Amino acid sequence: MPEPTPVPMSATLAADEAMARRRRAGEEVLSMTSGEIGLPVHPALAERLAAAVGDNAYGPVAGSKALREAAAGYWGRRGLGTDPGLVVAGPGSKPLLFALLLAVGGDVVVPVPSWVSYAAQARLAGARPVAVPILTGQGGVPAPERLREAVAGARAAGQDPRCVVVTVPDNPTGTVASPDTVRRLAAVCRDLDLVIISDEIYRDLVYDASAPAESPALHAPERTVVTTGLTKSLALGGWRTGVARLPDGDLGRALHSRLVSIASQIWSSPTAPVQRAAAYAFGEPPEITEHIAACRRLHETVVCAVADRFAAAGAVLAPVRATSYLYPDFEPLRERLARRHGIHHGEALARCLSERHGLGVLPASAFGESRHVLRLRAATSRLYGDADEQRRAALAASDPLELPWIRAAVDRIGTVLTGLSETGVAPDPQS
Amino acid sequence: MPEPTPVPMSATLAADEAMARRRRAGEEVLSMTSGEIGLPVHPALAERLAAAVGDNAYGPVAGSKALREAAAGYWGRRGLGTDPGLVVAGPGSKPLLFALLLAVGGDVVVPVPSWVSYAAQARLAGARPVAVPILTGQGGVPAPERLREAVAGARAAGQDPRCVVVTVPDNPTGTVASPDTVRRLAAVCRDLDLVIISDEIYRDLVYDASAPAESPALHAPERTVVTTGLTKSLALGGWRTGVARLPDGDLGRALHSRLVSIASQIWSSPTAPVQRAAAYAFGEPPEITEHIAACRRLHETVVCAVADRFAAAGAVLAPVRATSYLYPDFEPLRERLARRHGIHHGEALARCLSERHGLGVLPASAFGESRHVLRLRAATSRLYGDADEQRRAALAASDPLELPWIRAAVDRIGTVLTGLSETGVAPDPQS
């Protein structure tokens, strides 16, 4: 008999709702809690969705042929030839990830740190997460040799890990595992007979085009499932659209069939009108590609400016190479934070920044790390403005840091952090 | 360690996709397999969705305030006063039902027959379904005294049933449990401390306004969760929108909190643009109420005409009082079907009608009944036409049975059934 799983509310969504409530109450808060991208819908996609409002049939469980073909083309252009018959679309990549855990069965290896929902989903699926640390500066992928040890240990202890979830590029660290690490991970997974579920939703948000993210599907094609969506690259979180690419071969076909069955019982099919717009987006017409490039440049400029403020205050962090996330470590300031502010762990640090200074950030414990560490995740994609007009200006600006509202946000972050690290009491930025 | 649950593809969606393939291949099939409503989107809703295409933020996990307030008003007008804070919206009522099973935990009582996904969802949630037969002619609600016995037996055998799923009005039978049965069910559930999950998605499709469906929430308000959506009343299956109403009180608040947490980890939030249109629909402006009334009349006219054909051929069935489903029993023809057609069970009968005569129907076994019984479920909501123009004409017609395409479909059903019951070989309706 299953007990109701004591699963927590998604930390990002919970914190985001809390920030929204404070904002509605008149507080001047800077929300850096969730990975929601605060940018407008591209007009070409809005147009496609508006043209599809008459689509009210369920359509195929796995999504329309047009969407599956477009997603296959998207992957094909990235070196991953894809059979549209092995693509499954869903209402977001999140439900696809959950259904994949049910389809694979067994326990689930998750990197530490990693996105808030992997471990929670594993528990909801009745599995026990097996936590494996990353290599420094290479988030999203369990250190391959640590993975080997952890799986051997878990198996010896009676657990049954059958898959590992990886995030390339990574949330929460904003880093990208190196091709060598990904290759070694793939080899270990083959040795251990583990399915790899590769969450590549940030793939198009790697800043340096000459060093793209490496998919494990290149190295272990027979056992790697890839998921992505339009939430991050095109700011379409509220449209709820994602796709999964199942591996070719016997394992992939069996997983595909189980995934479609599970989808048919949990959500029926992806929202039909959204599918039409998503198919257009995955087709990557020039205006969409250019728009994503502009978004990427904006993310890079702002997240790096904010990372500089954290570094200037004495936190250490790996260079941010993708996404709009940074993951600073205040360990060098541990003694000072304890003495001057009574802050002894990451949760207290996040609470101080969020509640006292209105800078909404999440502690590393939300991502599976020990409560003790002084690491935080900050997401900068909500700093582009409160209204679409500001957000469009941010996208169009040659230097978005010169826009007064972005400049003010970055300055405020710098002021709060400097105050935190230097003085007994940080100045109140609202005074 | 959870094994991958060997859950079958949703029988309705699988059969629907098979019928669509045959149709594309040029076969003249009549699809009566799925409960999809073949009617166009109301223009007022299409307009609202088109106006909301810029909504790309996640928004609250439980759905927008506007949608939750509109749904609360909808229930309030039906005698179920509702706190919008206890409403949770999701991408269809199907995922809400699944998440509710996870939130309640334990094993799940399902009526027999019942909708294909309840038992499958219970298995996906790690629960074992406890099957309890309905009272004749009162589908969707387990016979109250049988429920009492079954739960006692299950508990004695080590199972842990904690909730019962009911469907009022019912899919697959098209009947509506009487107020007395619902009241007795509620009393038994209180005695046994069972949560009632009442799927009321067909509530607005009861033909006789003087005999509305009775919700168990009237009789066991402290333990009844009600779900509904716009898939059936407004033909919006492809839009994926549903709402759940949690009971007031300690149990309801605990379930609400667990449901929202689970939703946050599985699907984040309902599709934002759809929420705006759904809020408008649940507000029940006159044009929407009139549209639903017109749909309801059309369903009644066509399903009753088809039910007459089944009865004329010798099948027995309870009077259809709601929905667009009928559930005929060919038991009186058992000997004849066996002798003349070699048909010994419901699956063979459904196969004969589907494969040989192009009348897509589902056997009772898809709804949890024994393979042996000669019952079928037929859904008539796809007979209104292939194109929106025909479908609009069907809605507007004073007698839809006079429209040539509907007349032809009903006649073809009658011819096939008469042939099946009277002669050695049914005539081929396509010759």
Side-chain angles (χ1 to χ4, degrees):
Chain A
M1 283 89 42
E3 281 305 308
T5 316
V7 62
M9 169 94 167
S10 157
T12 52
L13 296 172
D16 216 33
E17 292 191 13
M19 294 307 278
R21 275 192 298 273
R22 289 170 63 183
R23 191 178 286 241
R24 278 195 303 273
E27 267 191 84
E28 281 190 24
V29 293
L30 284 184
S31 180
M32 297 192 286
T33 46
S34 100
E36 177 155 338
I37 309 291
L39 288 171
V41 178
H42 189 281
L45 300 178
E47 228 173 78
R48 261 75 195 176
L49 181 55
V53 293
D55 291 8
N56 63 338
Y58 291 113
V61 173
S64 71
K65 194 157 169 272
L67 173 52
R68 288 181 291 107
E69 285 177 348
Y74 167 92
W75 276 306
R77 288 186 291 278
R78 283 152 183 81
L80 298 174
T82 301
D83 173 358
L86 287 170
V87 174
V88 179
S93 59
K94 191 183 251 189
L96 287 166
L97 286 163
F98 175 68
L100 282 163
L101 299 185
L102 288 172
V104 175
D107 293 315
V108 181
V109 180
V110 297
V112 175
S114 59
W115 180 51
V116 299
S117 287
Y118 300 137
Q121 288 194 342
R123 289 193 191 94
L124 281 173
R128 275 176 298 172
V130 176
V132 179
I134 58 167
L135 294 168
T136 306
Q138 298 195 53
V141 173
E145 286 313 311
R146 298 286 295 269
L147 172 65
R148 192 187 296 276
E149 288 159 30
V151 169
R155 285 179 176 163
Q159 275 192 269
D160 181 19
R162 291 192 210 161
C163 70
V164 51
V165 184
V166 305
T167 326
V168 194
D170 184 41
N171 169 15
T173 66
T175 62
V176 187
S178 74
D180 180 60
T181 298
V182 170
R183 193 172 53 243
R184 286 191 296 128
L185 170 96
V188 171
C189 288
R190 189 171 283 156
D191 286 354
L192 299 173
D193 196 18
L194 293 171
V195 172
I196 303 169
I197 299 176
S198 186
D199 178 350
E200 302 184 4
I201 198 161
Y202 300 98
R203 175 164 195 137
D204 295 339
L205 298 184
V206 176
Y207 312 142
D208 180 355
S210 72
E214 183 103 342
S215 175
L218 291 171
H219 303 289
E222 80 289 357
R223 62 183 61 249
T224 303
V225 183
V226 180
T227 64
T228 190
L230 303 177
T231 294
K232 307 301 176 181
S233 57
L234 286 163
L236 295 177
W239 283 19
R240 312 307 307 123
T241 179
V243 282
R245 172 190 182 274
L246 281 296
D248 211 342
D250 291 347
L251 169 71
R253 287 181 192 281
L255 281 179
H256 175 268
S257 152
R258 271 183 247 152
L259 177 61
V260 171
S261 293
I262 292 165
S264 80
Q265 304 289 9
I266 300 185
W267 66 75
S268 295
S269 54
T271 305
V274 171
Q275 290 189 60
R276 239 198 292 161
Y280 184 78
F282 280 117
E284 299 184 280
E287 80 272 25
I288 295 298
T289 307
E290 284 156 23
H291 178 69
I292 293 174
C295 296
R296 187 167 52 227
R297 283 190 299 271
L298 175 61
H299 296 322
E300 180 179 10
T301 304
V302 175
V303 81
C304 289
V306 174
D308 286 349
R309 298 305 181 279
F310 276 90
V316 289
L317 70 173
V320 180
R321 300 201 23 231
T323 79
S324 47
Y325 302 124
L326 58 144
Y327 198 69
D329 189 346
F330 284 75
E331 189 59 36
L333 301 174
R334 178 176 289 280
E335 199 263 340
R336 200 179 306 179
L337 288 172
R339 201 180 59 236
R340 296 193 181 164
H341 302 283
I343 291 171
H344 299 276
H345 52 71
E347 290 173 11
L349 178 58
R351 210 161 40 230
C352 168
L353 289 172
S354 296
E355 291 174 15
R356 185 154 174 197
H357 300 289
L359 302 189
V361 294
L362 287 174
S365 57
F367 303 90
E369 296 228 66
S370 151
R371 195 166 162 268
H372 182 72
V373 303
L374 286 168
R375 294 193 269 276
L376 302 173
R377 194 202 69 171
T380 57
S381 55
R382 298 286 288 280
L383 305 183
Y384 307 143
D386 289 332
D388 275 358
E389 197 185 346
Q390 288 185 323
R391 293 164 166 185
R392 270 190 282 268
L395 265 178
S398 61
D399 184 0
L401 298 172
E402 283 179 2
L403 294 173
W405 58 94
I406 296 182
R407 167 60 49 202
V410 174
D411 284 350
R412 176 171 165 195
I413 294 165
T415 306
V416 170
L417 294 175
T418 309
L420 192 71
S421 66
E422 283 183 353
T423 70
V425 178
D428 183 339
Q430 287 177 57
S431 69
Chain B
M1 285 86 46
E3 281 306 308
T5 315
V7 62
M9 169 95 166
S10 157
T12 51
L13 296 172
D16 215 34
E17 292 191 12
M19 294 306 279
R21 277 193 296 274
R22 289 170 62 182
R23 192 179 285 244
R24 280 196 301 273
E27 265 192 85
E28 283 192 22
V29 293
L30 284 184
S31 180
M32 296 191 287
T33 46
S34 100
E36 177 155 337
I37 310 291
L39 288 171
V41 178
H42 190 281
L45 300 178
E47 228 172 76
R48 260 77 194 175
L49 181 56
V53 294
D55 291 8
N56 63 338
Y58 291 112
V61 173
S64 70
K65 193 156 168 275
L67 173 51
R68 288 181 291 107
E69 284 177 348
Y74 167 91
W75 276 306
R77 287 185 292 278
R78 283 153 183 80
L80 298 173
T82 302
D83 173 358
L86 288 170
V87 174
V88 179
S93 58
K94 191 184 251 189
L96 286 168
L97 287 163
F98 175 69
L100 282 164
L101 299 185
L102 288 172
V104 175
D107 293 316
V108 181
V109 179
V110 297
V112 176
S114 60
W115 181 50
V116 299
S117 287
Y118 300 137
Q121 288 194 342
R123 289 193 190 94
L124 281 172
R128 275 176 298 171
V130 176
V132 179
I134 58 167
L135 294 167
T136 306
Q138 298 195 53
V141 172
E145 286 313 311
R146 299 286 294 271
L147 172 65
R148 194 186 295 276
E149 288 159 30
V151 169
R155 286 178 175 165
Q159 276 192 268
D160 181 19
R162 290 192 212 161
C163 70
V164 51
V165 184
V166 305
T167 326
V168 192
D170 185 41
N171 169 16
T173 66
T175 61
V176 187
S178 74
D180 180 60
T181 299
V182 170
R183 193 171 51 242
R184 287 191 296 128
L185 171 97
V188 171
C189 288
R190 189 171 284 156
D191 286 353
L192 300 172
D193 196 18
L194 293 171
V195 172
I196 304 169
I197 299 176
S198 186
D199 178 350
E200 302 183 4
I201 197 162
Y202 299 98
R203 174 164 196 139
D204 295 339
L205 298 184
V206 176
Y207 312 142
D208 180 355
S210 72
E214 182 102 344
S215 174
L218 291 173
H219 302 289
E222 80 289 356
R223 62 184 60 251
T224 303
V225 183
V226 180
T227 64
T228 190
L230 302 178
T231 295
K232 307 301 177 181
S233 57
L234 286 163
L236 295 178
W239 284 19
R240 311 309 304 124
T241 179
V243 282
R245 172 191 182 274
L246 281 295
D248 210 342
D250 291 347
L251 170 71
R253 289 182 191 280
L255 281 179
H256 175 268
S257 152
R258 273 183 245 151
L259 178 62
V260 172
S261 292
I262 292 165
S264 79
Q265 304 289 8
I266 300 185
W267 66 75
S268 296
S269 55
T271 304
V274 171
Q275 291 189 59
R276 239 199 292 163
Y280 185 79
F282 279 117
E284 299 184 279
E287 80 273 24
I288 294 299
T289 306
E290 284 156 24
H291 179 69
I292 293 174
C295 295
R296 186 167 54 227
R297 283 191 298 270
L298 175 61
H299 296 322
E300 179 180 12
T301 304
V302 175
V303 80
C304 289
V306 173
D308 286 348
R309 299 306 181 280
F310 276 90
V316 288
L317 69 173
V320 180
R321 299 198 28 228
T323 79
S324 47
Y325 303 124
L326 58 145
Y327 197 69
D329 188 345
F330 283 76
E331 189 60 35
L333 300 175
R334 178 175 289 280
E335 198 264 340
R336 201 180 303 179
L337 288 171
R339 200 179 61 235
R340 295 191 180 163
H341 302 283
I343 290 172
H344 299 276
H345 53 70
E347 291 175 9
L349 179 58
R351 208 160 44 230
C352 168
L353 289 172
S354 296
E355 291 174 15
R356 185 156 172 197
H357 300 289
L359 302 190
V361 293
L362 286 174
S365 56
F367 302 90
E369 296 229 65
S370 151
R371 193 166 164 267
H372 181 72
V373 304
L374 286 168
R375 293 193 270 277
L376 303 172
R377 194 202 68 173
T380 56
S381 55
R382 298 285 290 278
L383 304 183
Y384 306 142
D386 289 333
D388 276 357
E389 199 184 344
Q390 288 184 324
R391 294 164 166 185
R392 271 190 282 268
L395 264 178
S398 61
D399 184 359
L401 298 172
E402 283 180 1
L403 294 173
W405 58 95
I406 295 181
R407 167 61 48 204
V410 174
D411 284 350
R412 177 173 164 193
I413 294 164
T415 307
V416 169
L417 293 175
T418 309
L420 191 72
S421 67
E422 283 185 351
T423 70
V425 179
D428 183 339
Q430 288 177 55
S431 69

